[in-house]
Amino acid sequence: AGVKAKDSISTINGQSTAGLSVNDAVDKIRGKKGTQVTLGIMRAGQPLTLTITRDTIQIPTATSKILSGGVGYLQVSQFSDDTYSLVQKAVQSFRQAGVTKIVLDLRDNPGGEVTSAQDIASLWLPTGATIEQERRGNTLVDTVQATGNNPLKGMPTAVLVDGGSASASEITALALRDNGAATIIGEQSY
């Protein structure tokens, strides 16, 4: 609808959002399917007005395309229960098209399920490679390891991150970098 990460919603249907909790703002923005809501947005110091028609939104958590030069572009917008199956389909199409390099776009990805991030990182990593460790002080509490289903192992990969990349997207990016499977490019993550 035109709203972007880092936009600040200043008004909802002409009423200021100052002092509203997030839940109150969400309640005012949501509404009956087919009705409209007008948002006053501040983007990089510039005011914008967007009128949005309310609807049920189905956004795939992973999309892909093949770029020139044998580059497969894979964007993961969040890690949920369907993400791995969507990524597997993308990997299959990359293999069929003879892709030789990957761009994994995790920009503005707020994270999600760690198991989904584990499965996706495992596409590049050998069985047992460390994806994440949880510690309490000097005590190792838990280790998440790659499952070893790694059709992308050895494939040159760049991971794109920005200030909106958080949680499971940071885990994925760092697991790939720390295991020598990818280079991270972009801004500091969340």
Side-chain angles (χ1 to χ4, degrees):
V3 179
K4 296 183 178 182
K6 300 183 185 176
D7 281 353
S8 177
I9 300 172
S10 57
T11 62
I12 303 169
N13 288 330
Q15 295 183 339
S16 173
T17 58
L20 278 183
S21 70
V22 172
N23 289 337
D24 288 341
V26 168
D27 288 344
K28 290 181 180 292
I29 294 170
R30 287 184 177 160
K32 186 177 177 186
K33 183 176 179 172
T35 63
Q36 292 188 325
V37 61
T38 301
L39 302 178
I41 304 287
M42 290 299 291
R43 180 179 298 155
Q46 298 296 314
L48 301 169
T49 302
L50 299 174
T51 300
I52 300 168
T53 302
R54 295 173 172 116
D55 201 349
T56 302
I57 301 170
Q58 299 285 334
I59 299 173
T61 59
T63 57
S64 65
K65 59 186 168 184
I66 298 170
L67 306 174
S68 62
V71 177
Y73 173 83
L74 174 61
Q75 181 179 37
V76 178
S77 60
Q78 68 181 32
F79 292 91
S80 65
D81 55 1
D82 70 336
T83 308
Y84 182 62
S85 64
L86 293 171
V87 170
Q88 282 182 306
K89 289 176 187 171
V91 169
Q92 186 177 29
S93 73
F94 291 167
R95 293 180 67 143
Q96 290 171 349
V99 162
T100 58
K101 300 173 218 99
I102 304 282
V103 173
L104 175 59
D105 191 346
L106 300 178
R107 292 175 296 178
D108 294 319
N109 179 322
E113 298 178 8
V114 173
T115 55
S116 178
Q118 175 187 20
D119 291 339
I120 291 168
S122 293
L123 293 169
W124 282 267
L125 302 176
T127 302
T130 300
I131 292 175
E132 175 190 24
Q133 288 186 334
E134 183 181 341
R135 295 180 179 273
R136 301 248 193 283
N138 291 328
T139 305
L140 180 63
V141 175
D142 190 28
T143 299
V144 175
Q145 296 178 319
T147 61
N149 174 18
N150 53 5
L152 300 177
K153 183 179 179 186
M155 179 94 51
T157 301
V159 180
L160 305 180
V161 297
D162 66 5
S165 305
S167 186
S169 61
E170 292 170 307
I171 291 168
T172 302
L174 291 171
L176 295 178
R177 185 201 64 192
D178 291 353
N179 284 285
T183 300
I184 299 174
I185 300 172
E187 303 171 348
Q188 181 175 332
S189 65
Y190 181 79

